[in-house]
Amino acid sequence: MRQTLVAGNWKLNGSLASIDGLLKAVLAGIGEVDNAEVAVCPPYVYLPTVQTMLKNSPVVWGAQDVCDEDSGAYTGEVSAPMLNEFGCKYVIVGHSERRSIYGESDEFTARKFAATRRAGMKPILCVGESLEEREKAVTEQVVARQLDAVIALEGVAALTDCVIAYEPVWAIGTGMTASPQQAQDVHAFIRQRIAAQDASVADKLQILYGGSVKGNNAAELFAKPDIDGGLIGGASLQAEDFLAICKAG
Ligand code: PGA
């Protein structure tokens, strides 16, 4: 039985004041969440504040990105050992915004995945196709290529300590959610591809869906056999909507 995980990806949003309000409201309602593990991923600079606010609560936290190197002359970067010092449990790697806006390749993403594990945290590896790729019916090839880059560098056993998030790019922030069946089909493909190399790793692997998950569509998505929770963007900034998604887990 895989545990449901609902992770909020705040992206480049928030202020000290808004985070204070959001987390207080999430903590006030978290007692009603029975099944899901709940995580939030703030911008780096707010991590110490989030760590302090969430201490002794069931809510865990993560980062939205990480440097592939542990230390050195890499101006502007934040390393995995640094994130680990602030109690991060998860690190999102290979989000489609990193891939498309900042040109991060499959291989570079795989190095960030490796850096996260080296420091003892769990990567949330994002994969997913663009609208153009879906229309060309190459979704499976794209997702397989993104996965294979990580497996080539780290080996399939590394997926034991990680989470995968399937996020079709056309569904992110657009209000166009993949239908539960469309998502399930890709999740099943991911699990089968990994099972072909290691059935026990595949069976235990949490695969999240991301892309316009809201309080009113989460339950239907999470009910699918291969959907083990969600990576939530916009709706994670509203406590009420985020809690409704967590309760659907
Ligand atoms: P969204 O973002 O929920 O706003 O579509 C999801 C994500 O990018 O992780």
Side-chain angles (χ1 to χ4, degrees):
M1 187 64 190
R2 294 180 293 268
Q3 169 158 48
T4 302
L5 169 63
V6 177
N9 172 12
W10 293 353
K11 307 192 181 183
L12 186 61
N13 294 295
S15 63
L16 285 172
S18 74
I19 286 170
D20 187 72
L22 175 59
L23 284 184
K24 281 182 179 152
V26 168
L27 289 176
I30 200 72
E32 288 162 44
V33 176
D34 312 317
N35 289 325
E37 181 184 36
V38 176
V40 294
C41 301
Y44 290 136
V45 72
Y46 297 126
L47 276 167
T49 306
V50 168
Q51 179 187 32
T52 304
M53 286 190 76
L54 296 181
K55 214 175 187 170
N56 303 321
S57 88
V59 181
V60 299
W61 57 97
Q64 299 173 17
D65 188 24
V66 68
C67 185
D68 60 320
E69 300 286 346
D70 290 346
S71 66
Y74 303 99
T75 301
E77 292 293 292
V78 173
S79 75
M82 292 172 188
L83 295 175
N84 198 37
E85 273 201 290
F86 286 91
C88 282
K89 177 168 181 184
Y90 294 105
V91 178
I92 300 171
V93 298
H95 189 279
S96 69
E97 287 148 18
R98 301 298 321 171
R99 293 178 189 266
S100 67
I101 303 172
Y102 300 100
E104 298 187 0
S105 67
D106 297 333
E107 290 68 30
F108 191 49
T109 298
R111 291 211 302 276
K112 292 183 172 202
F113 180 101
T116 301
R117 289 188 64 249
R118 246 190 342 264
M121 298 174 291
K122 285 190 177 201
I124 300 178
L125 171 68
C126 298
V127 297
E129 82 288 3
S130 65
L131 182 58
E132 200 190 349
E133 288 162 340
R134 176 156 284 259
E135 283 168 351
K136 282 199 212 137
V138 293
T139 296
E140 292 188 354
Q141 285 96 311
V142 170
V143 168
R145 192 198 70 219
Q146 293 169 333
L147 268 180
D148 289 354
V150 168
I151 296 173
L153 185 69
E154 287 282 271
V156 73
L159 298 175
T160 313
D161 302 315
C162 107
V163 176
I164 290 180
Y166 168 58
E167 299 205 303
V169 179
W170 48 272
I172 295 178
T174 59
M176 272 171 57
T177 324
S179 72
Q181 194 54 50
Q182 276 176 323
Q184 165 59 26
D185 289 346
V186 181
H187 283 229
F189 167 76
I190 292 170
R191 202 177 304 284
Q192 279 154 19
R193 189 169 180 92
I194 295 164
Q197 297 184 55
D198 190 322
S200 123
V201 168
D203 192 45
K204 292 191 196 104
L205 182 66
Q206 289 167 302
I207 308 178
L208 313 185
Y209 168 78
S212 298
V213 180
K214 309 284 175 208
N216 61 10
N217 60 20
E220 220 191 330
L221 285 157
F222 298 170
K224 291 289 178 196
D226 288 297
I227 302 183
D228 307 311
L231 183 56
I232 321 299
S236 71
L237 299 169
Q238 310 286 335
E240 204 181 320
D241 218 10
F242 187 57
L243 284 167
I245 297 167
C246 297
K247 285 180 207 163

